[in-house]
Amino acid sequence: MTTPVEPATRKRVLKVIFISLLLDLISFTFILPLFPKLLEFYRNVEAPLDPSAPPSKTLLSSVLGYLNAYKASFARPIDSRYDIVLLGGALGSLFSLLQAIASPIIGHFSDRYGRRTALLLSMTGNILSVLLWVMATDFRTFLASRIVGGLSEGNVQLATAIATDISDPSKRGSTMALIGACFSIAFTFGPALGAWLSSFSTVAANPFATAAGVSLTLIVVETLYLYFCLPETLPALTQKTEPTGTQVSSTKSEEKKPATTPTTTKSTAVQRTNSHFLLNFTHFSFLLFFSGMEFSLPFMTYDLFAYDSAKNGRLLGFVGLIASLLQGGVTRRLPPLLSVRIGVIACLLAFIMLGRITSVLGLYGAAALLATTSATVVTGLNALSSFESHEGERGGKLGMLRSWGQLGRGLGPVLFTSIYWWAGREVAYGIGALGMSWVALLVMYALKTPPGSERVRKESHVAEKKEL
């Protein structure tokens, strides 16, 4: 059997995970509100709209040419002000698709060489990515920054694997909720901080160098913090270095077992409840529709209520705040499958509302439902996947789960906005509601509750209060 993690060690590792992931996600969210102005800056330099300007043969002008051809295929005319939004969506999809490729590789690497080693290598790639952003005086360098970031970003899945390594089944859901809370806190404050930093122009050739420089500082601090404070948590590695004094009373046959026995025993002891294919497909299906709605929201708020960036920022801040409160007080106490079911039903109701709302009050009602979804579904699916994995394969399985989700996140915005502009808001959100109904059927009738995930947890609630 795997040696249980001591409470003091678990508390220390959870603290390191929380602080490092919070730094990482705040740094990551700096760029989100900057995309429109940032891409507009590169367009004005490399592909100006002025017809009297000489034609340019830059990478950005070629990309915009392809996007304009795609835009021209819509039955409804799309205003030129959406060019930058469509370009930002394309870059977001590229990042997600690169993550879909990299996540399983990073996960399997961590299963073989350790979580700490994989995380530090991932951080090296992140530093290079943000450094390229600091130096990005042209679109080509900025695109290279996004590509490097998409291929190296592994912090979330590795933090999830580490949290699983140090948590027993009764605490698995609350630990995953702690990781989810990092997302909500970061998305509440990170974008606003990034927008504020962008108002300080320190480099004329790159007006966003200040925000990029602070982002780089946070990533470097996070890397140093992980290097000095994060221990290895992969059981197959930590057990090899454990003292054997406690095994003196073992029989001779037990003493002769190979060093890999704990992992092997655990592998055969896992009682499969949900297939990984079903969990992965559920994750893909959910994010395919959810990410499409998420990306289309600024379109809809502008069309219906003439929202500008500041009002959209307040709306997203509201979503992040509600999600933080839910993850800190509710989600961490729910069984994972129940958490997923609640979130999917909330998302279905949000789709229905967004296709019909006519008031700001209705918009914020739908936003509250989206906050419930953000606080529950992905956190619950990560926990469910961890229950179906033994300790020697968790990194790979969680990486594959993330890969399927990122594939859905990469395809969703392109497909959903295409429907939005071809057929209108009501049809787009109606199709989204049908898609989310399919996901609801999966989580209600296909997914099952793993043994140990719905224990009576009075003792664990007391322990959680001490840890958090």
Side-chain angles (χ1 to χ4, degrees), residues 170 172-178 180-181 184 321-340 342-343 371-377 379-380 453 457 461 464-465 468:
S170 66
R172 191 75 51 80
S174 63
T175 305
M176 296 299 178
L178 182 66
S184 299
L321 178 62
I322 298 299
S324 298
L325 295 174
L326 289 174
Q327 282 167 329
V330 179
T331 304
R332 54 190 285 261
R333 293 182 170 86
L334 294 177
L337 183 55
L338 178 59
S339 176
V340 172
I342 290 173
T372 303
T373 301
S374 298
T376 51
V377 178
T379 296
S453 67
R457 295 167 55 194
H461 283 172
E464 288 167 14
K465 291 178 181 178
L468 302 176

Side-chain angles (χ1 to χ4, degrees), residues 14-53:
L14 280 178
K15 178 182 176 182
V16 174
I17 291 174
F18 183 83
I19 294 175
S20 63
L21 193 57
L22 193 58
L23 288 172
D24 185 80
L25 291 173
I26 289 176
S27 172
F28 176 80
T29 57
F30 273 6
I31 199 171
L32 297 183
L34 308 184
F35 260 121
K37 290 294 183 183
L38 187 149
L39 295 177
E40 184 178 44
F41 166 75
Y42 290 128
R43 184 189 64 182
N44 292 340
V45 172
E46 301 182 30
L49 297 177
D50 185 359
S52 62

Side-chain angles (χ1 to χ4, degrees), residues 146-168:
R146 301 302 294 170
I147 292 174
V148 172
L151 291 174
S152 60
E153 174 63 47
N155 304 57
V156 175
Q157 73 181 76
L158 292 173
T160 303
I162 291 170
T164 303
D165 290 337
I166 63 173
S167 302
D168 59 47

Side-chain angles (χ1 to χ4, degrees), residues 83-232:
D83 289 354
I84 295 299
V85 179
L86 292 174
L87 179 58
L91 288 177
S93 292
L94 173 64
F95 187 91
S96 295
L97 293 174
L98 291 172
Q99 280 278 278
I101 296 171
S103 293
I105 299 172
I106 295 172
H108 286 300
F109 183 92
S110 77
D111 284 336
R112 182 165 184 175
Y113 298 102
R115 316 293 189 213
R116 185 176 184 274
T117 301
L119 187 51
L120 289 174
L121 285 176
S122 174
M123 292 304 304
T124 302
N126 289 343
I127 290 174
L128 177 59
S129 171
V130 182
L131 182 61
L132 285 170
W133 181 26
V134 174
M135 301 165 57
T137 57
D138 56 23
F139 178 75
R140 182 171 53 185
T141 306
F142 177 72
L143 181 61
S145 166
R146 301 302 294 170
I147 292 174
V148 172
L151 291 174
S152 60
E153 174 63 47
N155 304 57
V156 175
Q157 73 181 76
L158 292 173
T160 303
I162 291 170
T164 303
D165 290 337
I166 63 173
S167 302
D168 59 47
S170 66
K171 297 176 182 177
R172 191 75 51 80
S174 63
T175 305
M176 296 299 178
L178 182 66
I179 293 175
C182 290
F183 272 91
S184 299
I185 294 171
F187 277 81
T188 301
F189 300 105
L193 184 56
W196 178 71
L197 289 170
S198 69
S199 64
F200 299 95
S201 180
T202 55
V203 180
N206 182 2
F208 305 94
T210 303
V214 175
S215 178
L216 178 61
T217 302
L218 291 178
I219 292 294
V220 171
V221 169
E222 178 193 358
T223 303
L224 293 173
Y225 179 59
L226 289 170
Y227 181 81
F228 288 107
C229 298
L230 180 68
E232 181 55 64

